[in-house]
Structure formats: structure tokens, C-alpha cells
Amino acid sequence: MPAQPHETLPPVRLPSEAELARDALAAPLFAAAVRLARWAGAGTQVDDAGELPPARLPEAAAALGLDPQDPDAGAHASRAWRVALDTGLVELTGQPDGSGAAEAGGAGHGATDGSGTEHDGAKAAGPGRGGTGGTGGTGTGRAGTAGAAAGAAAAAGEELALVIGGAPADVLGLWLAACDAVLADAAVPDLDGLVDALGAGGVIDFDRLDWNPQREADLLDAVLADLYLLTAGGRGTAGGTVPLPVLAASVAAPGGINGPGPAVLERVAGALMRLDGQFRQLEPIGLVEFRPVDEAVLLSPDDEDPAAGPAAGAPGAGTGLGPEDVSRYGTVRLTPLGLYGIRARLLEAGVAAPAVGELADKGADALLDAVCDYPEAAAEAEIRQWLEARELPAAAAELLDGARGADPGGPLRRLRCQQALAVAGPQAEPAVRAVLDDPELGGLARVWLAEQGAADVPAPDGALVYWLAVDTIAAQLGGAGGEDEAEELPLLMESLTAHHAGFFEQAWRVEHPATAEVLEAMGRLHPDKQAAKQARKAAYKTRSRPR
């Protein structure tokens, strides 16, 4: 996928593998593929591409519980059959009479065994897994069937046994292969466009079609990565729903829309309709929940342009449209299974995409370093899982030891440690009292004990008070959003200077690695102009003192 290899995304909370496997088996398209694999008897006749002949489609539709007379039933059965073939749920076996060549085998099993090793067919199962890390290319995982002889036969594949007797990870491996095949299909333009672009000899004129397979696959991957980021960062609406115009604008105008001209609006509208068609294809595999574009909107020229506002960031921002109006242009949300699937693709592409619970078996130092980059709620969830796997108060002592350090990350580690100790509760008290005389942890210990209502908490000396003030502000500045997202910082600064007369005269002397940076930040952010001026003078004095 097109994210940067070293980019770290916000952590996501995923259900257990067992729950995700149940969701995968319930996804309509995957469930239909499984049913057709069970339906396929030995010697089921297929054409030279491994597809069911038109004469067999009504029977296959009936096996899925569909009305064979319904004109859409055959198309649904055909699509489910292709997914079964792509995942190895169905395999080519040779000639119908059993005298044919050896198995074609390259139908693209695309699953993993219990050890996480891909089956041989994974290389043909679509370039999203075991290949390029994206949907890239025109193939949908049927490379091995292209050379099958006319009048070939198919039967249930070995992978079908994994659906019944395999571990949840086996089922999810099959679903990921199916998902890759569906994503590859979704990047292909509609068949009507392909027919219109046929040139002499039935060869597609890609220039006339204006379709670059790799570009289209990368664009879809980029949209899904954006959707993942919006979901993981909690920037969608309630329930993680994102208006389709937001994603369309991210494709058509990645730099943002500010007074767009007709050309930009036309690109956004085109991207909107392309995504509408693609998400219609992705919903049956369980990747997304999707509300299509309301056709009535497309027929009304007086409606607000979908590209005019939501693209700015917040859904519906700047448009004057209510949530119901915005939703008429289509909405989409990743399902928990979809989060799992897109995360798997991101990890394969080298992107750091953490999930809550991954640090449960790591040391306290690794935990605190990692959650420094997490949003508050995700950090607390990770800390809770870490503590649940350990005995207190030993875990509290380990946390306190991991919070030490004069490096730039030290203040935020101590802040996260304090948060972790609050989760740990009264059982952490012995470990906390043991560090009351520690120059780095003594202030944190006193604050925690006071919050717990503990008795006999020794009063801090003046130097410790100012050191703790600097450390606290440094932690806020070093958070995931820095001072840009720490709205409470000016209030904290105002409170500190109000409660400590001559704050800056004492603060510039504090022996803390971040003293100068903290005072400079107070000079920028303090709401009182006179105090801000004093902070800047104090920062200069800190920078000028001999080391």
C-alpha cells in the first residue's frame, strides 16, 4: 500500500481471531464461495479459464439459495465461484473424464497455514499478498487457470477443509486471499468501458480507456489507507463512519480544497462515483459497511456539490449541510474485519500499524516508549492489558524503573507511568513509596499518593516542585500531538504561575534537560502577555548559564 514504510499509524482495537473468523465466514461473498466449494462435485465442468459455463450458473445460483430466474443471480454465483477459485476452495482437476493433465494448482490459494507460511498458490492469488503489497495489476488471482485446457474440470480444493477444521488464523488467511482478489477486481473499470475501448482484433486500447492498472490499484489502496487512518484516529463520525466526499477529495485533491475551480470539482465528482462503484464491490466481502450515493442527488443540479466542503477534514465541515444531507453523497466505515484486513496489507507493505494488546508480553520500557505515541484512550487500553498479564506490585516497580531517563522521551514516559499506576490502583503503593527520594520519580510518587488519598505523604521541597512542573509541561509538549493539540497547556501554564509567585525566577534554574524548551513554549503559549515575556527572558537565562 502507498503509505510510507516507517510511518506509524494510531493503534487499533481488534476483536479476537475467533471473532474475526466468525465475521469472515459470515461475509456474504466469502460464505457463498464456501457453499459453492461444497457444491462442486468431482469433475464439475468449467471453461478454459476455470469459470463455470453459463449453463451451470442457474444450478450454482440455486445452490446459493438464489432464484435461478433472477438475472442477477447468475452474476452473483459467477463472482462467488471466482472467489472460491482464487482462494483454493475450488481447484482445477484436469479433464472432466479424469484423464486430463495434472492439477492446474495455480488458482491462487492465497492462505496461510498455522505457521504463517503462505501456500504455493499465494503468488498467484493476487499481488496484494506475498507480492507487491498492493492490489496492483489487472489480475485477480487466476493466473494459474489461464492455461487450463478447454473443457477442464474442477472440484472442492484442499483449503475447504480449513473452513471446517482449521484454526481461526487459517480461516482469516483464506479470507485475506479472497479480499485481495476482490480488491483487484474493484480496481478494474466497468465492463461497458472495456467494451467501448476494444480496438482492432479485440485488443483493449488502454490509452482510450484512460486506465492505468497500477495507478488504479494504488489509488484504491491510498483510499483504504486514508479510511484506516480516519478510523484508527477516531476522526470519522459516530461509529467510525466517513462521508464518501472526504475520501473522494483525498484522491482528487490530496492537497486540500480551498476555493476549488470547476476542474477540481469535476475530478472530485468523478472520484466520488468511482469510489461508489468500488465500495459496492467491497461490501459483500465484509470489508466495509457502505451507504451508496443517493441517485436523487445525482439528478438534482441545485444540490450542494459534494466536493465543496467535507474534503476539508471534518465530515460536513464548511458545507452548511447536516449529517443526513452529507450522507446522501454516500458514507462508508471499515468493519472490525475490514480493519484487520487493511492492517494486514499495511503491515505487509512495511507500515507500522500497531494493535492494542501487542505489548502485553513486552517489558515496561517498551510499553512506555510505545504508548507515548498513542492517543490517551488507546494508551490506557494497552496499559490495562499489560497489567492484567502481571502481578502487582512487581509490575508497578517495573513501570517506575522504565520511567527513568534524562532523554527527550523521559517526561512523557513518566506521564504514561503515572497513568499506568492510576490503573494499577492501591496495590502499587509499596512500589511508589519506594521511590519517594528518587530525584526523577519523587514528584510523580507524591502526586500519585495524594490522588490515592494516602496518609503520611512527605511534602516536596521547592526544587522538586519546580522540577516536576518543568517535567509535566515537557511531557505535554512531547505528546502525540505536541503543543498543537494540547489545548490544556495554556491553562496549565497559567495555573502554575498563579500559584507560585516568582515562578520564572526559580524555573530557569531547574536542572532539567527540557527547562529551556519548556520556558520557550511558555513564552509562546502563556495567555498572559506579561508572563509570556518573563518566560522568554527566563529561557534566555537558561540558555546562557554555564554548563
Side-chain angles (χ1 to χ4, degrees):
M1 300 186 78
Q4 293 299 317
H6 300 294
E7 179 184 353
T8 300
L9 297 173
V12 294
R13 303 190 204 190
L14 294 173
S16 67
E17 281 195 340
E19 292 175 285
L20 290 168
R22 285 195 293 270
D23 289 346
L25 292 172
L29 185 55
F30 189 69
V34 171
R35 291 181 69 177
L36 286 187
R38 290 172 173 163
W39 163 81
T44 299
Q45 187 173 0
V46 293
D47 65 17
D48 59 352
E51 306 280 1
L52 288 173
R56 297 298 305 274
L57 289 178
E59 185 182 350
L64 296 176
L66 304 174
D67 180 2
Q69 304 303 318
D70 184 341
D72 294 329
H76 181 74
S78 179
R79 190 179 186 203
W81 178 264
R82 291 198 303 272
V83 169
L85 197 60
D86 288 330
T87 56
L89 292 168
V90 168
E91 292 180 346
L92 298 183
T93 58
Q95 300 299 321
D97 61 3
S99 62
E103 292 182 5
H109 301 194
T112 58
D113 59 24
S115 66
T117 303
E118 288 193 339
H119 296 283
D120 292 339
K123 291 182 176 63
R129 295 195 59 74
T132 65
T135 53
T138 61
T140 58
R142 290 178 290 282
T145 69
E158 293 181 1
E159 306 290 9
L160 182 59
L162 296 178
V163 175
I164 302 170
D170 297 320
V171 174
L172 290 172
L174 290 171
W175 180 83
L176 286 171
C179 188
D180 284 335
V182 172
L183 284 166
D185 281 343
V188 177
D190 63 275
L191 291 178
D192 291 338
L194 287 173
V195 171
D196 291 341
L198 285 176
V203 177
I204 297 175
D205 184 348
F206 288 106
D207 292 333
R208 181 178 171 190
L209 184 61
D210 190 27
W211 176 57
N212 180 300
Q214 187 63 53
R215 180 191 64 196
E216 292 299 323
D218 289 345
L219 283 174
L220 181 54
D221 272 343
V223 167
L224 292 172
D226 284 346
L227 183 56
Y228 183 95
L229 180 59
L230 289 169
T231 304
R235 286 183 283 168
T237 58
T241 301
V242 176
L244 207 56
V246 173
L247 297 175
S250 73
V251 172
I257 296 178
N258 184 17
V264 173
L265 292 178
E266 184 176 352
R267 289 202 306 271
V268 174
L272 180 71
M273 297 315 301
R274 185 167 66 251
L275 290 176
D276 179 81
Q278 289 172 331
F279 283 125
R280 287 174 191 263
Q281 295 182 66
L282 299 183
E283 186 174 36
I285 200 62
L287 196 72
V288 297
E289 290 179 4
F290 178 56
R291 178 173 176 173
V293 176
D294 186 347
E295 293 185 5
V297 170
L298 305 178
L299 301 176
S300 175
D302 297 326
D303 269 335
E304 183 86 17
D305 192 292
T319 63
L321 302 178
E324 183 60 30
D325 294 316
V326 171
S327 69
R328 295 177 66 196
Y329 294 107
T331 59
V332 63
R333 68 178 290 269
L334 281 176
T335 64
L337 185 62
L339 272 174
Y340 168 83
I342 300 306
R343 177 174 177 266
R345 294 168 65 81
L346 288 167
L347 290 173
E348 196 168 90
V351 180
V356 172
E358 288 184 321
L359 300 171
D361 60 346
K362 306 296 183 183
D365 51 351
L367 171 75
L368 294 175
D369 278 334
V371 298
C372 284
D373 294 325
Y374 286 16
E376 197 79 14
E380 182 174 338
E382 188 70 64
I383 287 167
R384 285 188 182 278
Q385 293 200 30
W386 189 88
L387 287 170
E388 287 170 0
R390 286 162 177 77
E391 295 291 334
L392 290 171
E398 187 181 348
L399 285 167
L400 287 162
D401 190 54
R404 290 188 174 90
D407 59 289
L412 189 52
R413 283 201 307 276
R414 286 183 280 277
L415 183 65
R416 292 304 195 205
C417 177
Q418 186 173 337
Q419 180 182 2
L421 293 173
V423 174
Q427 293 186 66
E429 185 169 343
V432 173
R433 285 192 177 276
V435 299
L436 280 170
D437 295 329
D438 188 289
E440 290 183 342
L441 303 177
L444 177 157
R446 286 168 172 79
V447 170
W448 184 88
L449 288 167
E451 290 175 345
Q452 293 292 314
D456 304 323
V457 181
D461 60 28
L464 183 58
V465 168
Y466 287 100
W467 192 96
L468 181 60
V470 170
D471 200 57
T472 300
I473 295 176
Q476 297 286 348
L477 291 170
E483 64 181 65
D484 293 336
E485 294 186 13
E487 297 179 358
E488 70 277 8
L489 261 177
L491 296 177
L492 174 62
M493 294 171 178
E494 187 175 32
S495 175
L496 285 171
T497 54
H499 286 82
H500 299 282
F503 177 88
F504 296 109
E505 184 58 32
Q506 298 297 324
W508 76 267
R509 297 183 170 90
V510 172
E511 295 293 336
H512 189 292
T515 298
E517 289 81 4
V518 165
L519 292 173
E520 288 168 352
M522 294 183 79
R524 294 191 302 272
L525 302 175
H526 200 293
D528 182 85
K529 291 184 178 179
Q530 185 62 32
K533 183 178 179 180
Q534 293 175 7
R536 291 191 291 272
K537 289 182 178 179
Y540 176 77
K541 293 166 75 172
T542 299
R543 296 285 190 194
S544 303
R545 70 185 179 187
R547 300 293 177 185

